[in-house]
Amino acid sequence: MPFLIRQITETMHNMQPETLVTTLGRRPDREQGAVNPPVHHASTILFKTLADLEAAEAGRYAHSTYGRYGTEGHRLLEQALAELEGGSHTLLCGSGASAVSLVLLALLQQGDHVLMVDAVYSPTRDLCQRMLRHYGVETTYYDPLITPEELQTLIRPETRILMVESPGSLTFEVQDVPGLAAAAHAQDVLVVADNTWATPLHFSPFEKGVDISVHAATKYICGHSDVMMGAVVTRNEKLHRTLFKTYKVLGPCAAPDDVYLAQRGLRTLAVRLQQHERSALQLAEWLQQQPEVLEVRHPALESCPGHAFWKRDFSGSCGLFAFSVQPVAREALAAMLDHMRLFKMGYSWGGYESLILPFDPQPIRSATEPAADRQWLRLHAGLEHVDDLLEDLQAGFARLRAYG
Ligand SMILES: *Cc1c(COP(=O)(O)O)cnc(C)c1O
């Protein structure tokens, strides 16, 4: 099988995140001294000997066998991400959504049941409601703040997967992942986490009972708003092999140039995150003091649902959080948003630039009812100077006020 992870010669587990992201998945000694890995554009991979070809066919060839399974650059990034999370294997996909689909399609069959967090990324919900339902897989949505005891009552003999996303990327409820994972494992249910918000640096999924960690690497790992990528990390070879069988037939492999850009993004992940985190906290604190603001949803604030779990289980936060204001006329909202100088409207997040997005959680919930009497907005604090970001927000609030 082409996904053997090479043993790293020295153990680096006791090193700090800044060191790990700059060190893992690089081998200048094998690249004529070049600091960064090569990019191999390949469909066909040639075998030198009949023995090599036979080894490939028997799944015993140590290198890539075909472009659809990625090449050397993929192996290095896979290894880096696996090591960062304390896992053993990674599969790289062409988007975060394809990474999520890969996992659910690989592990579920007709008659199976999934427990899905109600705050899940909405295309993941669509996957369950459309494809999986048509394939005879049933999904039950649960409150992100459910206790392990309550979760137990939802587990059925046919429940195969518990999916968590902590915090949710719109409403930011933090989940009791270790508690829920223990309840799931007691009934042989696999735990899948969408770990995009925390990145591999701020939440260690395997230590917290997760079996499969999924990332939209599009966000902070790539970090420059120019690449779509997903990653599926496991620490169990058997599970990896199961996922790989589906990876082979769906063909969601990430492209070599994108893998290179993701590698490059990874090198600065730790320092970028520190700045995103610092700015977002400052903006969140400012927002808390504005009279129009009803609530700030930032996992590091005590007022955030599940904050105690964030404090217990995470080593940091990032630039993404939400807040809500009293209901406003559409024109007032447009006056605020259309003239922002730095906070631009757009999907995705995790790049160097700041973003603002109005959203309505109501249509994408079924087990819980987020407050409807308000306007929700999500912010991504980019790498601009926080004083400029604050000024932009202040001016936006002034335009909102001028309307009321
Ligand atoms: C963006 C995102 C995804 C999907 O990633 P894409 O690369 O856009 O397909 C999945 N989960 C979360 C939490 C996300 O924010």
Side-chain angles (χ1 to χ4, degrees):
M1 92 162 199
F3 282 83
L4 298 174
I5 292 286
R6 294 184 194 89
Q7 292 297 314
I8 47 167
T9 42
E10 326 142 61
T11 170
M12 299 203 267
H13 289 298
N14 55 351
M15 292 191 185
Q16 299 296 327
E18 291 82 350
T19 313
L20 293 176
V21 297
T22 51
T23 315
L24 295 173
R26 289 205 295 121
R27 297 178 322 181
D29 52 320
R30 296 215 206 160
E31 311 300 343
Q32 287 103 46
V35 170
N36 291 298
V39 180
H40 293 300
H41 288 271
S43 50
T44 299
I45 311 273
L46 302 175
F47 301 98
K48 257 191 187 155
T49 62
L50 179 61
D52 283 348
L53 180 65
E54 286 166 349
E57 281 170 8
R60 284 186 281 99
Y61 194 62
H63 306 287
S64 187
T65 56
Y66 188 51
R68 199 168 67 232
Y69 316 137
T71 52
E72 187 62 11
H74 292 70
R75 294 300 89 76
L76 292 167
L77 180 59
E78 286 162 4
Q79 181 177 351
L81 295 178
E83 297 247 339
L84 271 180
E85 291 207 312
S88 58
H89 296 77
T90 305
L91 291 167
L92 294 176
C93 300
S95 69
S98 67
V100 171
S101 316
L102 167 68
V103 171
L104 297 183
L105 291 172
L107 298 175
L108 295 165
Q109 312 179 14
Q110 185 176 20
D112 285 347
H113 174 237
V114 183
L115 284 168
M116 181 62 70
V117 61
D118 205 30
V120 74
Y121 180 65
S122 81
T124 303
R125 177 182 286 264
D126 289 344
L127 173 72
C128 297
Q129 290 317 100
R130 296 184 190 163
M131 287 185 77
L132 293 181
R133 195 153 63 97
H134 294 157
Y135 294 162
V137 174
E138 205 187 322
T139 305
T140 300
Y141 296 90
Y142 66 89
D143 184 337
L145 300 170
I146 197 170
T147 65
E149 296 71 35
E150 289 163 342
L151 184 81
Q152 249 156 9
T153 66
L154 299 180
I155 297 176
R156 310 176 191 166
E158 62 274 20
T159 307
R160 179 99 173 96
I161 288 178
L162 168 73
M163 184 146 174
V164 298
E165 188 173 311
S166 175
S169 65
L170 285 173
T171 43
F172 297 91
E173 302 90 340
V174 187
Q175 299 189 254
D176 178 6
V177 174
L180 300 178
H185 288 159
Q187 315 251 14
D188 287 329
V189 173
L190 277 171
V191 181
V192 178
D194 185 327
N195 201 23
T196 302
W197 184 86
T199 82
L201 299 189
H202 285 166
F203 184 83
S204 298
F206 303 114
E207 277 174 21
K208 309 285 187 247
V210 169
D211 299 297
I212 302 176
S213 168
V214 181
H215 289 273
T218 306
K219 310 291 164 56
Y220 283 118
I221 293 172
C222 292
H224 294 70
S225 305
D226 52 2
V227 178
M228 303 296 300
M229 191 171 299
V232 178
V233 186
T234 49
R235 69 161 171 189
N236 169 326
E237 172 139 8
K238 191 162 162 260
L239 205 47
H240 172 75
R241 279 176 190 268
T242 304
L243 295 172
F244 184 62
K245 278 185 199 149
T246 299
Y247 188 84
K248 267 179 117 164
V249 296
L250 288 182
C253 187
D257 285 328
D258 288 344
V259 169
Y260 183 84
L261 288 172
Q263 271 263 12
R264 184 147 90 170
L266 181 67
R267 303 303 168 211
T268 55
L269 176 63
V271 288
R272 282 187 287 113
L273 264 187
Q274 281 164 23
Q275 187 58 49
H276 287 294
E277 173 171 26
R278 209 177 301 144
S279 294
L281 277 168
Q282 241 179 288
L283 298 175
E285 279 157 17
W286 181 83
L287 283 164
Q288 276 186 317
Q289 290 155 18
Q290 305 314 304
E292 295 84 356
V293 172
L294 298 171
E295 193 183 359
V296 179
R297 289 278 180 102
H298 186 307
L301 296 182
E302 258 176 48
S303 56
C304 192
H307 164 74
F309 301 130
W310 176 81
K311 213 166 159 186
R312 184 190 66 189
D313 299 335
F314 289 66
S315 61
S317 58
C318 65
L320 193 77
F321 67 100
F323 66 97
S324 59
V325 294
Q326 283 156 359
V328 287
R330 194 187 161 280
E331 297 75 27
L333 191 62
M336 178 189 190
L337 298 178
D338 292 356
H339 302 285
M340 300 300 285
R341 294 175 65 192
L342 299 172
F343 284 97
K344 296 297 183 185
M345 285 181 277
Y347 298 120
S348 201
W349 44 276
Y352 52 81
E353 82 290 6
S354 289
L355 296 167
I356 188 163
L357 192 72
F359 69 93
D360 177 9
Q362 297 291 338
I364 47 171
R365 291 297 186 112
S366 51
T368 48
E369 274 191 50
D373 60 339
R374 58 194 58 198
Q375 175 63 53
W376 290 88
L377 291 146
R378 185 176 74 177
L379 285 189
H380 178 251
L383 300 179
E384 305 90 343
H385 196 288
V386 70
D387 292 348
D388 294 329
L389 294 179
L390 272 171
E391 211 177 295
D392 199 27
L393 268 189
Q394 272 159 2
F397 269 79
R399 289 192 297 276
L400 196 65
R401 266 166 215 155
Y403 236 90

